[in-house]
Amino acid sequence: MRQIVAAGNWKMNMTPSETKALISELAPLVKDAKNKVIVCPTAVCLPAAVEAAKGTNILVGAQNMYFEDKGAFTGEISADMLLDLGIKYVILGHSERRQYFAETDETVNKKVLKAFEKGLTPIICVGESLEQREQGVTADLVRMQVKIALLGVTADQAKNTIIAYEPIWAIGTGKTATTEQAEEVCKTIRDCVCELYDCATAEAITIQYGGSVNAKNSAELFAQENIDGGLVGGASLKAADFSVIANS
Ligand code: 13P
């Protein structure tokens, strides 16, 4: 049985002080959660988040990371910097990073390989635009994103990967994919992992859905055979809502 993973992507929200306050508010609400609970604040808030999460069952992840070890890469964050803080998870290839910061499948793959080399678990984001869905290429596109992201990744590493299927048209729009649409693409991803590796690897990998997940729709989404939790934006910024999702 795969564990459900509820991860909050806080995006560019919350100051360090607000980060501490939100984690303190969330901690008692999720202390008995069966699901794994991860919060991903922006880089400057990570030390505050790690501090606030000490002694709780809340895990902390980063929203991005660079693929080089160190050097002249102004503004970037290395895997070692995250590890030094005690961070174990990192979101890679979010559609907002692909759209606004020129991330490509190739840079996502380099980051995924670096994450595994260093012992971080990547949360790899994939998903189609509305135009691509209407063109009927969702499965092809998502399969291509998954295949490139996992180039050079071993089966053992793949088993410890989290893939988040996030249709771009459902992000921040309040327009959730239907349960059937979400399950269909998550199954496509699992089948693709089975083809790339083997079915044991596909059974082990965690596949989340993301895109307007909220306290009302999370239980039904997470009950699907191939949906192992959610990557949550807006609703993860409210302790009450995210705790319902974390307990779904
Ligand atoms: P929303 O939950 O705000 O739609 O954001 C989803 C997302 O992009 C999570 O990474």
Side-chain angles (χ1 to χ4, degrees), residues 7-11 91 94-96 125 164 166 170-174 210-214 231-236:
N9 174 7
W10 291 5
K11 309 192 180 183
I91 298 172
H94 190 279
S95 61
E96 286 148 18
C125 302
E166 300 205 303
I171 294 177
T173 57
S212 299
V213 173
N214 59 42
L231 185 56
V232 187
S236 72

Side-chain angles (χ1 to χ4, degrees), residues 60-81:
V60 180
Q63 295 177 13
N64 182 34
M65 179 199 89
Y66 197 49
F67 53 77
E68 294 288 356
D69 282 336
K70 58 157 78 170
F73 304 104
T74 302
E76 290 299 315
I77 296 151
S78 73
D80 286 335
M81 293 170 192

